[in-house]
Structures are given as C-alpha cells and as structure tokens.
Amino acid sequence: MPTLASPAQASSGSRSTLPPLLWLCLAATWVVWGSTYLAIKYALISFPPFLQMGSRFLFAGVMLAVWMRWRGAAWPSALQWRNALVVGALMLGGGMGGTAHAEVSIGSGLVVAFIAVVPLLIALLNLIWGVKPTRLEAMGIALGLVGVLMLTQGSGFQSSPAGLLAISVACICWSMGSVLSQRSLPLAPGAMGFASEMICGGLVLMVLAAVSRESLVWPPAPEAVWAWLYLVVFGSLIAFNAYMVLLARAPAALAASYTFVNPVIAMLLGVWIANETVTRFEWYAVAVILAGVLLLLFKRPQKG
C-alpha cells in the first residue's frame, strides 16, 4: 500500500543519503523561503499584491527561459504549456497571489504559520490517487488541523476575516498545484518547465492585477524595490526552482517539509525586524501545527 512519501522516493528511501543537490534545495526552501514572507510585506509598500507577484514571477520566468534557450533547451510543447498554465494559475496565481493579499492585513509571521497546513492538505489530496497516510501521518494531519483551528482563533486572524479567507484559498490552491504537478500535469523537463510555470503564473497574476485595478506607487520606496528584487532572485529563481526540484525528485512529505521551518523563521523575523505582534496563544497554535507536520515526516519502516 503506497504511503504519503511514496510518489518519488529517493534512491535509497532514506533522508540520510539524499544527494547534495537535494540538501541544497531543502536549505533554499527552509531558510530562504522563510525570509521571503517579510520581503513580501516590505514590497507591499509600493507594489500591490497581484502586481507584485505577477511582475516578480513573469520577470524571473522570462529570465530563466531565455537562459535555458541560450543553453540549448527546447521550448515546452503545447501540452506542457497547458500544464504550466494550470499549475502556475494554482500555485502562483492562487497560492502566492492569495498569500500577498493576506499580508495586506495580517502579519507575515502569522501568514506563514497558517501555511504550515500545506503538507496536511497535500496528504489529504493524495487520497484521490490512493496514497493513504500511515497511522503517524494520520495523527499528524489531525494534530495539524487542530493547530490551524487554534491559530484562526488568535487575535491576528480574528481581526481580519478577509485575510483569513485569502490565506485559506492560497493554501488550497498551492496544495492542489503541488499534487497535480506530481501526479498528472508534468511540465517540460528541468528548469524550462519551472520557467514556463512562472511565466504562465505571472501572466495570470497580471490579469488579476488589471481586474483589481492595481497600480504601482510611484516613485516606489527604496525598501520596496530591494524587497522586490530579493523576491525575484532568491524567492523565485532560487527557492521556487528548488521546491520544484524537490517535488520531482524527493518524497512528497520531504518536499513539503519547508513548512516546518518557515513559520519559525518568518515569525522571528517579523517580530525582530518589523515589530509584528504574536500572542502567546498564537505561538502555542504554531507549536501544535509544527508537531503535526513533524509526524508527517516520519516514515513507515521498510519491511524485508
């Protein structure tokens, strides 16, 4: 019977023998992504949410595609472009667009703490393909959902129902896109696939920005520009591509393990740099969520 971690097992089935590339990818998703949520907050000073995310991913995607074409990579086929549009619309349009929209009214630390529900949603969505969680994974899902319910009762989310709705939609869209990219909607091979996804997702976000009548604050604040550049280089070109590599080459639970580290980093940075307020009850809720995610990372011992 397949388990949550079975879609793309590492060659030895053990994290201790992961190749160096996957360790670097893990470091990028764990640490770099943990800092990007505060960067999103600073970029919002001059860049509205959909415009910020759309321009970020479109710019990074075009840069990566041009680089890959210069190195001789083929353009994605029509079917691969279609897949990139669906996955990009979910992961970037709904996922990252919703995240930025939530940060308009909610602190970056609380937003990323809520995002820790993603591995739980991925585990539930994998049931559609017959991938059943182990007993520990099922306990992790239940514990994590309890933590999320606790977090929504904290002062941060209670004061912004719109922000809570935005981050809920973002988590669902990101989880659906992650599962579909693994299961039924393969992208073009290598970095060209990631580039096509960023281009398509960026275009979807720019359409959302136009529909929402967003406009850039001109002249943009220097800290907003630096934050936007950080998001393009570190958040998109490095960390996002690292995540897509993990989705393709690592177990699903391990690929989503960044949600165990990101909340701690983001909340500490939010309190330390941006003077965000996190109550003791909200810290307790995060601890419960992370305990659930940790259970998801334990694997059933191999028989025989």
Side-chain angles (χ1 to χ4, degrees), residues 46-62:
S46 300
F47 296 86
F50 295 133
L51 180 62
Q52 174 193 148
M53 289 297 179
S55 58
R56 160 194 170 184
F57 285 111
L58 191 57
F59 184 75
V62 169

Side-chain angles (χ1 to χ4, degrees), residues 126-248:
N126 272 319
L127 289 172
I128 299 173
W129 283 269
V131 181
K132 297 182 179 181
T134 65
R135 184 174 300 178
L136 275 180
E137 289 167 348
M139 291 173 56
I141 292 171
L143 189 60
L145 292 178
V146 169
V148 169
L149 290 175
M150 290 174 58
L151 190 62
T152 60
Q153 300 307 305
S155 59
F157 285 108
Q158 285 288 304
S159 63
S160 178
L164 175 59
L165 177 61
I167 195 58
S168 298
V169 171
C171 289
I172 293 171
C173 289
W174 182 271
S175 301
M176 290 179 61
S178 296
V179 173
L180 288 174
S181 70
Q182 285 184 310
R183 299 289 178 183
S184 56
L185 296 176
L187 304 177
M192 183 58 82
F194 311 149
S196 65
E197 181 181 350
M198 286 193 286
I199 291 172
C200 291
L203 289 173
V204 169
L205 283 160
M206 294 303 286
V207 170
L208 291 174
V211 171
S212 303
R213 297 184 178 180
E214 292 182 350
S215 59
L216 175 68
V217 176
W218 192 264
E223 59 267 37
V225 174
W226 282 112
W228 184 86
L229 289 173
Y230 181 85
L231 290 169
V232 169
V233 177
F234 290 92
S236 298
L237 291 176
I238 296 177
F240 180 73
N241 281 287
Y243 177 64
M244 297 307 295
V245 170
L246 289 172
L247 283 180

Side-chain angles (χ1 to χ4, degrees), residues 18 28 40 42 50 55 60 78 87 114 125 130 140 145 153 166 184 199 219 234 238 248 272 277 282 301:
L18 284 177
I40 291 172
Y42 278 105
F50 295 133
S55 58
V87 174
F114 194 97
L125 288 170
L145 292 178
Q153 300 307 305
S184 56
I199 291 172
F234 290 92
I238 296 177
W272 178 38
T277 301
E282 288 164 341

Side-chain angles (χ1 to χ4, degrees), residues 14-72:
S14 171
R15 282 182 290 162
S16 62
T17 56
L18 284 177
L21 174 62
L22 293 189
W23 278 117
L24 289 174
C25 290
L26 281 173
T29 57
W30 287 350
V31 180
V32 174
W33 254 350
S35 66
T36 56
Y37 295 94
L38 184 59
I40 291 172
K41 193 77 170 181
Y42 278 105
L44 284 171
I45 296 172
S46 300
F47 296 86
F50 295 133
L51 180 62
Q52 174 193 148
M53 289 297 179
S55 58
R56 160 194 170 184
F57 285 111
L58 191 57
F59 184 75
V62 169
M63 285 181 60
L64 185 58
V66 170
W67 168 254
M68 292 306 298
R69 280 294 292 168
W70 182 76
R71 297 187 61 186

